[in-house]
Amino acid sequence: MHTDPLMTTARLSLRLHRDDDLDRLVTIHSQPVVARFLLEEPWTLESGAAQLERRLRRTGLDEASGSLALAVERGRRLIGTVAIWRTEQERRSVEVGWTIDPAYGGQGYATEAVAAVVQFAFERHDVHRASAQMDARNTSSARLARRLGMRQEAHFRQDFWSKGEWTDTLVFAVLRDEWTAVQARRR
C-alpha cells in the first residue's frame, strides 16, 4: 500500500500513517531508549495497534481532531514520526512532537522532518506560535528545538510523574515572525 507524501524534504518524505506501519512503529517504539522519554511504556503489538489507530485519525490541522500525525520515511523505510496538534481555542497555536529510530539518529533527519512540519503549519494554517514540550533529560530533543530556532521558555521542575519518578519538563517555542527571520538567515 502506498500513500503519497504530504511534504518532502531533501532526504525525506512525510506522509499520513497507514495500517501496514504497525510492525515498524512497534520496532521503533518498543526500544527502551526511545520509550524512556515518552509518555507510554515500550510498545507491544497490542499497545502499538491502539496507538496506530489514534494516529490514523489525525489527518489534518483543519480537521475535527486539529492534529496531524505523520510517518517520516527515508527512501521507503519508516524511520520516525512527527505529530502536530492545535493547543488552544483560537487554533493559532500548535505543539509539535517527534520520534526517530535511534539507528537513524545523529544524521539530521529529525531536524529536517520537524522543520518541514513547522514550516507547513506556519505557511498553510495561519499558525502564530509553535511549541514543543519534552522531558528535560531528553537532551537530544532540546538541542533539536534550539537548532530549529525555538527558545526555551520554561523549565518546570519535577512537574510530571512518569514511569515511577518525578521528571522535569522543558518548553520551547517559536513565533511565526521569529521562524521567518531564522529561515531567511539560513538561506
Side-chain angles (χ1 to χ4, degrees):
M1 174 197 249
H2 178 69
T3 303
D4 291 331
L6 288 182
M7 57 195 85
T8 58
T9 68
R11 304 179 296 166
L12 305 170
S13 296
L14 288 84
R15 61 163 174 79
L16 295 175
H17 286 283
R18 312 183 299 236
D19 289 328
D20 65 349
D21 288 337
L22 180 60
D23 288 340
R24 193 65 192 114
L25 289 171
V26 169
T27 297
I28 294 169
H29 289 86
S30 65
Q31 297 176 63
V33 68
V34 171
R36 178 177 182 207
F37 302 127
L38 300 178
L39 300 179
E40 308 89 25
E41 294 293 333
W43 289 15
T44 62
L45 275 175
E46 183 179 334
S47 65
Q51 289 286 346
L52 178 57
E53 185 60 36
R54 284 189 282 281
R55 290 170 187 223
L56 290 169
R57 292 190 303 266
R58 296 177 178 157
T59 59
L61 290 175
D62 294 331
E63 302 298 320
S65 70
S67 60
L68 180 62
L70 298 169
V72 178
E73 289 185 325
R74 170 89 172 124
R76 290 198 174 239
R77 180 154 184 83
L78 192 154
I79 65 165
T81 63
V82 178
I84 190 166
W85 57 96
R86 305 269 186 184
T87 59
E88 45 80 32
Q89 190 170 356
E90 292 298 318
R91 301 178 63 82
R92 295 203 52 218
S93 293
V94 295
E95 186 173 338
V96 62
W98 55 86
T99 304
I100 194 81
D101 184 337
Y104 293 87
Q107 300 174 57
Y109 296 130
T111 302
E112 194 172 318
V114 175
V117 171
V118 171
Q119 182 73 30
F120 175 80
F122 283 137
E123 280 184 356
R124 296 226 187 132
H125 294 281
D126 195 31
V127 166
H128 171 69
R129 180 178 188 274
S131 66
Q133 294 189 47
M134 64 206 61
D135 186 311
R137 299 169 299 174
N138 190 343
T139 57
S140 295
S141 283
R143 281 193 308 270
L144 186 155
R146 286 184 184 98
R147 271 194 307 277
L148 291 176
M150 292 181 154
R151 85 193 147 288
Q152 184 176 326
E153 293 187 332
H155 182 153
F156 296 109
R157 296 190 30 82
Q158 296 185 9
D159 69 319
F160 192 77
W161 183 256
S162 179
K163 301 174 185 163
E165 64 183 313
W166 286 106
T167 61
D168 291 5
T169 300
L170 298 179
V171 178
F172 289 85
V174 63
L175 301 176
R176 181 187 194 140
D177 60 342
E178 294 169 332
W179 179 265
T180 302
V182 167
Q183 299 312 306
R185 284 194 302 272
R186 289 186 176 154
R187 290 187 187 117

